[in-house]
Amino acid sequence: MAIVAQPLHARPRPADQLAWLTAGWPEFVFHDQETSRHLGRVRELFAELEVVLLDDDEIVAAGWAVPLCWSGEVDDLPAGYNDSLARALAAYDTGRRPDTLAILAAAVRPDRQGQGLAGELLGALRELAGRAGWPRVICPVRPTLKSRYPLTPIDRYAGWTRTDGTPFDPWIRTHCRLGARIVATAPRSQVITGTVAQWQSWTGMAFPDSGSFVIPDGLSVLHIDHATDHGVYVEPNVWLQHR
């Protein structure tokens, strides 16, 4: 059967069809306190911007976005993922008409990766902006391979290319093949904090003393301070704009 795009909430979905969505993500991303403050209301207000791809009535990809206001100038970009949530809610609360769709998540079921579904999903999400009359589409992208280079600054990583001139990172490359371009980096897209014990639980690592640590699936390092029983991880993203 042909791949079909459909709103996630068009009808009830069996829970087991969506269980894979959290697979492959590091545990610490689910403990961002700022995201937790906004996400419930965002999901309620902008449910129509959650999309799934179906193959023979099975969900094979899913993504979601928020509408916000952006002037089109780099200096006016949201700080990243969390700021996109906040700005979407601010536009709604003040009655401002959005002009930009920010795609905040897009995932393909693990057993269906490498089949071009990511591009189809991004296309389906971009169509939401066209139907709503929003002229701009942006994405704070979490680079796939950045976790292999956590010590490399995001500005430097975003500029890496392959020998054919295309972006080094495969997820950035997928966006660019669809006509997107890198417009900026988001060095502080998310800031995740917790106690030392929490970080040990989230990462499966021990932190015997204070310092900076490379953690599994981290795009940057984790900073641990035993004196204050505090750990801070700052997640960098890359801003892409779709034509």
Side-chain angles (χ1 to χ4, degrees):
M1 291 182 63
I3 300 296
V4 176
Q6 189 177 94
L8 172 63
H9 304 288
R11 57 185 174 83
R13 310 284 181 186
D16 60 350
Q17 281 200 16
L18 297 170
W20 60 268
L21 279 173
T22 57
W25 290 90
E27 178 63 26
F28 57 79
V29 303
F30 302 111
H31 299 278
D32 182 341
Q33 297 175 14
E34 187 173 350
T35 296
S36 297
R37 284 197 297 271
H38 298 312
L39 196 56
R41 191 159 174 251
V42 164
R43 296 286 303 275
E44 178 183 349
L45 292 175
F46 310 123
E48 75 279 4
L49 300 181
E50 299 182 14
V51 172
V52 294
L53 296 186
L54 302 175
D55 185 5
D56 195 21
D57 210 35
E58 288 282 332
I59 296 176
V60 294
W64 61 279
V66 296
L68 51 80
C69 297
W70 176 48
S71 67
E73 299 296 326
V74 170
D75 290 345
D76 188 46
L77 278 167
Y81 174 87
N82 276 334
D83 195 33
S84 296
L85 299 177
R87 284 178 58 163
L89 292 175
Y92 178 87
D93 290 339
T94 57
R96 296 180 64 193
R97 187 182 187 281
D99 53 28
T100 301
L101 183 77
I103 299 174
L104 299 186
V108 175
R109 205 170 71 188
D111 64 322
R112 297 297 300 270
Q113 292 176 1
Q115 300 176 14
L117 293 175
E120 290 199 42
L121 177 60
L122 291 172
L125 289 164
R126 291 192 309 185
E127 287 179 9
L128 298 174
R131 291 199 292 267
W134 302 327
R136 289 180 284 272
V137 176
I138 56 177
C139 313
V141 169
R142 188 179 201 268
T144 305
L145 298 184
K146 179 65 172 72
S147 60
R148 299 183 184 180
Y149 308 92
L151 304 182
T152 302
I154 191 64
D155 286 349
R156 181 179 165 199
Y157 179 87
W160 287 356
T161 59
R162 303 192 302 175
T163 54
D164 61 1
T166 59
F168 169 81
D169 188 85
W171 189 216
I172 295 176
R173 194 162 60 245
T174 294
H175 283 263
C176 290
R177 283 173 174 165
L178 295 173
R181 64 187 180 92
I182 296 173
V183 292
T185 56
R188 297 178 65 85
S189 188
Q190 289 181 267
V191 179
I192 303 172
T193 62
T195 66
V196 175
Q198 286 174 324
W199 277 106
Q200 289 180 155
S201 173
W202 298 339
T203 62
M205 293 176 62
F207 304 110
D209 62 10
S210 300
S212 299
F213 297 86
V214 173
I215 58 176
D217 298 313
L219 307 193
S220 63
V221 296
L222 168 67
H223 300 283
I224 290 289
D225 185 345
H226 274 270
T228 59
D229 190 24
H230 193 63
V232 180
Y233 165 82
V234 180
E235 169 108 336
N237 287 172
V238 178
W239 275 114
L240 284 93
Q241 181 176 9
H242 282 257
R243 297 189 179 91

